[in-house]
Amino acid sequence: MTRQMKLGLFVLNTGHHAASWRDPSTQPSPAMPFSTVLALAQTAERGLFDVVFLADSAATADSSSTILSRTDRATFLEPATTAAALAVSTSRIGIVITQNTTYDQPYHVARRILSLDHLSGGRIGCNLVTGVSESEARNFGHDGMPAHATRYARASEFADVVKGLWDSWDADAFPMDRASGVYVDTSKMRYLDHKGEYFQVRGPLNVARSPQGMPVMVQAGGSVPGRDLAARTADMVYSVQGKLASAQDFYSDLKGRMPRYGRAPEALKIMPGLLAVTAPSRAEAEDKYAKLQERVDTELGLAFLQGLLGPDIDLQRYPLDEKLPDDLTTNFGTSQLALLQEATRTSDMTLRQLMRFASGARGHLFLCGSPADIADGMEERFAGGAADGFNLMPATNPGGVDDFVTLVVPELQRRGLMRSAYTGSTLRAHLGLA
């Protein structure tokens, strides 16, 4: 095949399963050791992945939260700091860093990301998020989280300012001509002079143009405002799509929005999250996942599901062995709610079944089986107009990453679905972006 999958590794503590830290193959730690982060990134680089994806949360759950006491989600390393260490410890793989548009300033983010891009030789991407946590809001001087529409209006302007600042200098703005004494050609420097509803930023940015032209812009929202923002500004989208039909609808809808912003559909790579559990045989993989699921009790399962949906849906009101109502709404994880409601409708899941379902893939694509089984599921989405690639969400670390690189990557390469060697040195080159 001439078209090949893009692959990212979504790094999250001991793994993406709610009970990953209880699995004997993992090594829980209050602060994820850099040696562990680096080993995961190096394994992904050995597997010729495009990118390592570093998520973030700027808050710890309230002390009464079961999530705080019974999962390893209480602490997160700050992603830009982690990326700086990874940038000098890896050579080819890209690094995507999550930044918050609701509580940060675009000049800080633009400067931070572009500096890292230079330090890495052009391997950095910026994942802009609006936040979904009341705890985060209270850490930044807010009484509560701003409304969904307000967050996305601010995010849209934020993205424009960041990209404008990244365009402060032409690539040849620094002649550094010793003979003439001219270091900077000021005709190739631009003041942004942005004055909007949320920000006033003069510019220019005091960091030279990116080695890859511009860092990769990533977006993760699945709501209508999120899709419009991605269609207008993003180079890559991390999406939450469990069912094939909904993934195809999302893919065609988002790509279809791009022409109105003067962009070609191929300028955006859509990479849904994938929780893949694999072993040499399907039976071994299913046994491995069943043991993880056994470690999720009712208290943890309900708390984990509650954390995905947000505090304005009180799950304690609903019987465990009945379906959740179809008319629930939230100001928090709107995309997550829609996907979980779809799972309930299409499979008649009770709340008890839904919480176990969410404890693993959280509404993302879930594949469990032999290397051929995993490759079949990925190929169906890739060839069926539902994805340009995937963000791997290992159930456990490091075992889930090791298994995928050792078992699944060779199968994808055998089918011509994945590269056999890096051909470029920047993240844009890996992704096939201009």
Side-chain angles (χ1 to χ4, degrees), residues 140-155:
F140 293 95
H142 298 259
D143 294 329
M145 196 171 66
H148 187 271
T150 302
R151 299 201 312 273
Y152 271 93
R154 179 183 165 101

Side-chain angles (χ1 to χ4, degrees), residues 27 38 50 107 142 239 357:
Q27 295 182 327
L38 177 59
D50 296 86
Y107 192 93
H142 298 259
S239 66
F357 168 77

